[in-house]
Amino acid sequence: MLDKIQWLGRTAINVIAGLGRAAFVLGSAISHIPNVRKGLPLFIQQVYSVGVLSLIIIMVSGTFIGMVLALQGYTVLVDYGAEGSLGPMVALSLLRELGPVVTALLFAGRAGSALTAEIGLMKATEQLSSLEMMAVDPLRRVIAPRFWAGFFSMPILAAIFSMLGIIGAHLVGVEWLGVDQGTFWSVMQSDVDMLDIIKGGIKSLVFAFVVTWIAVYKGYNCIPTSEGISRATTSSVVQASLLVLGLDFILTALMFT
Amino acid sequence: MSENLVEIKNLTFNREERCIYNGISLSIPKGKVTAIMGPSGIGKTTLLRLMGGQLKPQSGEILFAGHNIPELSRNALYEVRKRMSMLFQSGALFTDMSVYENVAFPIREHSKLPENIIEKMVMMKLEVVGLRGAMHLKPSELSGGMARRAALARAIALDPELIMYDEPFAGQDPISMGVIVRLIRDLNDALGLTSVVVSHDVPEVMSIADYIYIVAEQKIIGQGTPDEIVKQDSELVQQFIKGEHDGPVPFHFPAKDYQAELLGGKS
Ligand SMILES: Nc1ncnc2c1ncn2[C@@H]1O[C@H](COP(=O)(O)OP(=O)(O)OP(=O)(O)O)[C@@H](O)[C@H]1O
Ligand SMILES: [Mg+2]
């Protein structure tokens, strides 16, 4: 009994200490005015490796998910003679939910894991230590550009995901299953609010913040051995994915009810 | 008589339960090559990290040019670090940059020099360590010894006041070993640097050091100029510099009785 209470207490302390460390890492990384001359090239380089290199997987997934949505939606709607509503159904599912959430999950797997492993390996090979000894703060030099790049890229990736999803749905719904082209677009236009797009955007911003934060913190805080890096990478993806799903529920409850 | 650039007073440092240093004091005179020798795992790298402010001691002072390193604020520490430089045991080159970019890195970070001057500075440093021909290679394409020399070029890129060399001789062939021994001496004398060399290569250290500290058992067991060290009649010191395996300095990490452990199982 006493053991369990002790364990509970220690776990609670560890969790809180971890949160504190994570907040400190992020805080010191981004709480300064970036130096444009030095910072911008680093940021752009990271946007390339974190964002641009994730484009393929996001585009392919978006298209396929849109196509599947159209197929599934059509078979249900056609029974009620409501296949004209296929457009808004697909667009709303993508903009409100699937765009932000699936992009965040794919991003955590594709880019988040790479960030964690890269930073962890820099730590294990003493590159972070040697930066410190050269009077260059690794939090600013290594962590900050990676964080900003992830935070900036992911919402754009989510928008591209939704856009291609709608094109995929058009391909299946209109070109293949014969839904009327004019109805598809006009009903979509009248049923989808600007507010839906904004709320979806807010979701992506929150997810981008969380996924990138976890990725850089896990790498910076890892135990600098091969086993430590592999564990940090796994837990970066697992924790980011679970947090995205949990936060999605909360945000949906707050914004869409 | 010249003053001391670094002074360590009554330093105590524990790692978890294990005591690494127990109240040691030593001083690094300005403009000299000071060597710190000691058996593997005794805490030589740890001492350099303490001097660089990467680890905080439990008690004691580490004075660098009058600044007490453990008590400096983060910003003050970064200012002080611009005046020192460390050659890591593993080299610690940035793997995403070429050798050239690695050496140029500290110059670009801390100065606003135009590119053509940076280029000349990098060339000079690389020429000194004999790697000008390898400047376009990535660290993954270098051998261990070459990586160490490239890291040396990077460490001296900004002509710091204090250079700390962690095992500079390990993994070098006899020729580059000789070159590095001479280089440490020449850099020290020509640029008026202060050098700390951590090593267990006794003959090399004897040949360049002005003053030697030998650490073992959490404290300093012997010190003096190379000539004095050789003449010291402490058993510990003699065992270390002659490399005898049998003597008062233990070769083993602290452990339980060997026989008891073999008979009694692991726990
Ligand atoms: N991160 C760490 N956590 C806990 N203990 C450590 C850590 N790093 C080193 N140690 C312990 O501190 C002691 C001193 O380590 P250090 O690396 O300073 O030795 P060293 O004298 O440089 O050895 P070598 O000559 O082999 O490089 C070692 O016995 C090691 O067990
Ligand atoms: Mg060492």
Side-chain angles (χ1 to χ4, degrees):
Chain A
M1 185 66 203
L2 212 60
D3 272 8
K4 281 188 190 128
I5 297 177
Q6 236 176 23
W7 176 86
L8 204 70
R10 198 173 313 126
T11 313
I13 289 174
N14 285 344
V15 168
I16 293 171
L19 275 176
R21 270 201 303 275
F24 173 79
V25 167
L26 187 68
S28 348
I30 64 181
S31 69
H32 72 292
I33 302 142
N35 177 333
V36 176
R37 189 176 64 89
K38 281 183 195 156
L40 200 63
L42 289 174
F43 172 75
I44 290 171
Q45 192 190 339
Q46 288 306 319
V47 168
Y48 176 76
S49 67
V50 165
V52 177
L53 293 183
S54 305
L55 263 176
I56 298 283
I57 185 174
I58 294 292
M59 287 165 63
V60 172
S61 313
T63 314
F64 272 99
I65 285 192
M67 284 161 50
V68 169
L69 270 180
L71 261 179
Q72 292 282 10
Y74 182 82
T75 51
V76 175
L77 293 173
V78 79
D79 285 346
Y80 303 94
E83 67 270 23
S85 300
L86 188 65
M89 192 216 88
V90 170
L92 288 178
S93 322
L94 281 168
L95 289 171
R96 289 177 172 182
E97 286 297 332
L98 292 172
V101 173
V102 177
T103 304
L105 297 179
L106 290 172
F107 188 81
R110 162 67 184 76
S113 59
L115 280 178
T116 307
E118 187 193 14
I119 297 170
L121 209 58
M122 290 175 92
K123 181 173 180 181
T125 52
E126 295 186 312
Q127 294 181 49
L128 296 185
S129 280
S130 73
L131 276 175
E132 270 181 28
M133 285 306 298
M134 283 180 214
V136 176
D137 189 347
L139 287 172
R140 292 182 184 180
R141 168 80 201 193
V142 175
I143 304 294
R146 285 171 174 74
F147 174 79
W148 286 123
F151 184 60
F152 170 81
S153 308
M154 216 192 87
I156 297 177
L157 290 174
I160 294 173
F161 183 97
S162 297
M163 217 167 67
L164 281 167
I166 292 170
I167 293 174
H170 177 263
L171 222 64
V172 168
V174 177
E175 309 284 335
W176 182 25
L177 299 170
V179 176
D180 178 59
Q181 165 118 342
T183 323
F184 183 88
W185 291 118
S186 65
V187 180
M188 187 194 296
Q189 209 170 28
S190 66
D191 279 12
V192 176
D193 235 348
M194 193 60 205
L195 219 59
D196 287 312
I197 298 177
I198 292 173
K199 285 173 178 171
I202 292 176
K203 274 190 182 179
S204 318
L205 279 174
V206 173
F207 297 160
F209 185 87
V210 169
V211 170
T212 327
W213 182 15
I214 291 180
V216 294
Y217 167 66
K218 288 283 172 186
Y220 188 75
N221 195 48
C222 80
I223 298 164
T225 58
S226 13
E227 198 208 1
I229 294 169
S230 99
R231 265 204 236 156
T233 312
T234 308
S235 84
S236 158
V237 175
V238 171
Q239 288 186 15
S241 306
L242 291 178
L243 233 101
V244 162
L245 295 172
L247 280 171
D248 182 50
F249 180 76
I250 295 173
L251 287 172
T252 306
L254 286 176
M255 294 196 298
F256 291 100
T257 51
Chain B
M1 189 59 215
S2 63
E3 79 245 64
N4 296 323
L5 184 61
V6 181
E7 257 182 80
I8 295 180
K9 292 179 187 158
N10 266 322
L11 177 82
T12 297
F13 180 72
N14 302 322
R15 243 183 162 139
E16 276 114 56
E17 312 286 84
R18 260 184 69 222
C19 178
I20 307 281
Y21 287 114
N22 189 3
I24 67 160
S25 301
L26 57 84
S27 42
I28 314 282
K30 206 173 206 150
K32 296 269 159 59
V33 178
T34 306
I36 295 169
M37 290 204 276
S40 176
I42 209 73
K44 301 181 301 295
T45 301
T46 307
L47 184 65
L48 294 186
R49 284 187 187 275
L50 283 162
M51 283 163 54
Q54 294 195 309
L55 294 171
K56 277 217 183 326
Q58 268 71 28
S59 69
E61 290 186 336
I62 302 167
L63 297 171
F64 173 84
H67 304 276
N68 187 12
I69 299 279
E71 281 177 2
L72 290 180
S73 72
R74 201 179 163 77
N75 287 341
L77 182 60
Y78 272 92
E79 277 311 306
V80 168
R81 279 185 186 152
K82 288 183 188 163
R83 301 164 58 185
M84 44 169 99
S85 163
M86 179 155 158
L87 179 64
F88 281 79
Q89 205 163 353
S90 61
L93 292 171
F94 303 126
T95 43
D96 55 341
M97 301 177 193
S98 67
V99 169
Y100 178 93
E101 294 295 323
N102 262 285
V103 180
F105 180 84
I107 310 177
R108 294 210 172 110
E109 280 298 318
H110 294 307
S111 75
K112 290 204 170 74
L113 295 172
E115 200 56 29
N116 58 343
I117 295 191
I118 292 181
E119 195 185 319
K120 296 219 171 65
M121 288 171 77
V122 174
M123 290 299 172
M124 276 159 58
K125 305 296 173 187
L126 284 174
E127 177 69 28
V128 167
V129 298
L131 284 180
R132 199 163 44 81
M135 68 179 175
H136 294 301
L137 297 183
K138 280 281 172 78
S140 58
E141 298 163 318
L142 300 177
S143 73
M146 285 161 81
R148 196 78 54 84
R149 279 187 280 154
L152 176 56
R154 186 179 66 178
I156 57 175
L158 279 178
D159 301 332
E161 287 171 51
L162 173 71
I163 302 198
M164 298 178 271
Y165 300 92
D166 196 356
E167 306 284 358
F169 311 121
Q172 299 292 345
D173 64 74
I175 297 175
S176 42
M177 178 102 99
V179 171
I180 288 187
V181 168
R182 200 149 25 80
L183 202 59
I184 292 177
R185 186 77 250 178
D186 289 351
L187 282 171
N188 194 82
D189 298 346
L191 299 174
L193 305 180
T194 303
S195 316
V196 179
V197 180
V198 157
S199 177
H200 34 226
D201 294 286
V202 178
E204 283 72 28
V205 169
M206 289 289 182
S207 70
I208 51 165
D210 295 308
Y211 203 82
I212 298 174
Y213 288 97
I214 301 181
V215 277
E217 298 172 334
Q218 295 122 46
K219 52 185 192 289
I220 287 164
I221 57 164
Q223 57 175 292
T225 60
D227 294 338
E228 289 166 10
I229 289 275
V230 179
K231 289 195 208 100
Q232 258 170 31
D233 44 35
S234 153
E235 258 186 284
L236 287 160
V237 174
Q238 288 306 322
Q239 185 206 344
F240 186 77
I241 58 174
K242 293 193 184 129
E244 291 158 355
H245 59 80
D246 206 12
V249 181
F251 157 70
H252 292 280
F253 195 85
K256 283 193 293 185
D257 183 59
Y258 186 42
Q259 208 171 13
E261 194 148 47
L262 282 179
L263 291 175
K266 221 173 134 191
S267 59

